[in-house]
Amino acid sequence: MYDIMKKIGVLTSGGDAPGMNAVIRAVTRAAIAKGMEVVGVRRGYNGLINGDIVPLDARSVSDIIQRGGTMLYTARCAEFRYEEGLQKAKKTCEEQGIEGLVVVGGDGSFRGAADLSARGILSIGVPGTIDNDISMTEYTIGYDTAMNTVVEMVDKLRDTAQSHDRCSVVEVMGRNAGYIALNAGIACGATYIITKEEPFTVNDVISKIIEGQKSGKHHFIVIVAEGIGGSEQLAKEIEQATGVESRATILGHVQRGGSPTVQDRVAASQLGYYAVDLLSKGIGNRVVGLQHNEVVDYDIQEALKMKKEFPHDLYKIANEISF
Ligand code: ADP
């Protein structure tokens, strides 16, 4: 039998995502319910290096479940990639009596969590990123909210594109992954969705628009994934080739904000709770995630090596019904 941990920490790291606060709440309350103390580490791994740590109780996480951003702030921390930084972090944990840690972030943050686990501070990764680019889980916290934001914005762009007979080229986030582009693209009724996972040429996009013009279509939405970029140039090329006035919009950081959707709040609560459950059993070096709506966990190194399939069938559907 193991001794239950007395004190754990929670931190948010890398890019922020709606729902991170809901994880902090779930972790705090789950830890307290199990009789553990819990502290918040501020600004990602920087807080471990600098000792920027705040006590958390049930009331300090009141009224945050509905808020975007993260009450613990988030940051990137270059120092943490080196042994010296890791040793400083370990020392802070030892001084503060932090035996386990929940790290909410993406792949980079999970590498840090593996490094800490290897040095005796058991750490669990919780996938919090709008990009949905973590292989071991079908779903990442923040993804649904970001997609809904994109859809809301593109619906507005469509109104003005329709009024002026324009083509709206909209670049959406996702880093190198096209999940936001694909799903938001379908939901917006995009004429063309451009992602790294599917082959395309500018001529394909132009041909689709010309085909649409022939059948009486006057306005067009083209969604471009961040990993492809070049939206301004693409808009120019579309305008030259088709005569349709074309404008590029890069949605940018608005996609990271806002109140989390139901799906993000539920996933955050489930995964945050499960992470604490693992720590309470003396288990570390795992990432938790969702597969077929079930909570699963994997060894961090194993999780980092996994590959995620792009839903090519969904892309095909989007393409076939967008003329
Ligand atoms: P994300 O977690 O969203 O993928 P990053 O890749 O920027 O974001 O990583 C967030 C932080 O995780 C980095 O600033 C660094 O502190 C830590 N990190 C990233 N890669 C490593 C690594 N190989 N070893 C240790 N820590 C890392």
Side-chain angles (χ1 to χ4, degrees):
M1 208 37 203
Y2 44 83
D3 287 332
I4 190 150
M5 284 186 183
K6 291 187 189 63
K7 190 169 176 181
I8 65 165
V10 55
L11 62 81
T12 49
S13 167
D16 68 329
M20 280 183 160
N21 276 326
V23 182
I24 296 167
R25 172 183 178 273
V27 167
T28 302
R29 301 256 174 99
I32 292 168
K34 287 184 190 293
M36 294 189 273
E37 254 187 88
V38 54
V39 293
V41 179
R42 305 207 303 173
R43 298 187 172 83
Y45 291 119
N46 291 295
L48 278 187
I49 290 177
N50 310 329
D52 188 3
I53 289 166
V54 290
L56 294 174
D57 61 24
R59 293 290 71 77
S60 43
V61 294
S62 292
D63 202 31
I64 63 167
I65 194 167
Q66 78 283 19
R67 294 185 202 278
T70 157
M71 68 169 280
L72 293 176
Y73 307 93
T74 183
R76 302 206 155 84
C77 173
E79 209 182 337
F80 200 71
R81 290 167 183 260
Y82 303 99
E83 190 58 39
E84 204 186 324
L86 285 162
Q87 288 304 329
K88 279 191 199 163
K90 180 174 153 89
K91 189 156 169 271
T92 305
C93 290
E94 285 167 356
E95 282 168 3
Q96 300 256 349
I98 300 169
E99 296 167 275
L101 198 67
V102 177
V103 174
V104 191
D107 278 348
S109 304
F110 299 161
R111 287 194 177 89
D115 288 348
L116 262 188
S117 298
R119 285 158 188 77
I121 312 300
L122 298 185
S123 303
I124 306 285
V126 173
T129 161
I130 64 165
D131 306 331
N132 201 30
D133 60 349
I134 295 180
S135 302
M136 60 74 66
T137 184
E138 286 168 358
Y139 186 77
T140 61
I141 297 156
Y143 175 51
D144 189 55
T145 307
M147 284 191 296
N148 278 286
T149 302
V150 171
V151 169
E152 196 187 323
M153 297 296 147
V154 177
D155 284 351
K156 290 178 204 273
L157 287 169
R158 179 192 274 277
D159 288 346
T160 164
Q162 183 270 329
S163 306
H164 288 271
D165 294 326
R166 275 188 193 135
C167 172
S168 196
V169 177
V170 190
E171 189 172 314
V172 303
M173 280 188 168
R175 285 217 218 173
N176 283 317
Y179 300 105
I180 294 179
L182 172 58
N183 285 278
I186 292 179
C188 295
T191 305
Y192 209 103
I193 301 166
I194 304 175
T195 73
K196 275 193 161 176
E197 293 88 346
E198 299 287 343
F200 85 102
T201 65
V202 172
N203 274 339
D204 296 337
V205 183
I206 289 167
S207 303
K208 193 88 189 255
I209 291 174
I210 291 172
E211 197 187 304
Q213 281 178 309
K214 284 184 191 150
S215 68
K217 207 166 168 150
H218 294 287
H219 70 279
F220 305 86
I221 307 283
V222 176
I223 300 286
V224 181
E226 181 179 8
I228 298 276
S231 309
E232 297 277 357
Q233 179 59 27
L234 178 65
K236 275 190 198 131
E237 290 179 42
I238 291 172
E239 184 163 321
Q240 274 163 11
T242 64
V244 179
E245 193 185 349
S246 301
R247 297 278 168 88
T249 303
I250 298 168
L251 285 186
H253 280 96
V254 70
Q255 295 164 93
R256 291 188 177 278
S259 180
T261 59
V262 172
Q263 196 176 349
D264 279 328
R265 296 181 201 195
V266 173
S269 303
Q270 269 181 299
L271 296 178
Y273 178 91
Y274 196 78
V276 173
D277 195 51
L278 290 174
L279 286 179
S280 77
K281 293 175 179 151
I283 300 169
N285 199 39
R286 312 286 292 177
V287 190
V288 298
L290 290 164
Q291 281 176 9
H292 313 296
N293 286 323
E294 298 276 330
V295 181
V296 291
D297 63 283
Y298 286 90
D299 173 88
I300 296 182
Q301 307 298 354
E302 199 185 321
L304 290 171
K305 281 189 212 131
M306 290 166 81
K307 291 269 172 286
K308 198 167 189 166
E309 270 298 303
F310 192 73
H312 296 286
D313 48 346
L314 198 56
Y315 186 88
K316 188 164 174 280
I317 291 171
N319 211 18
E320 286 188 17
I321 61 174
S322 61
F323 57 89

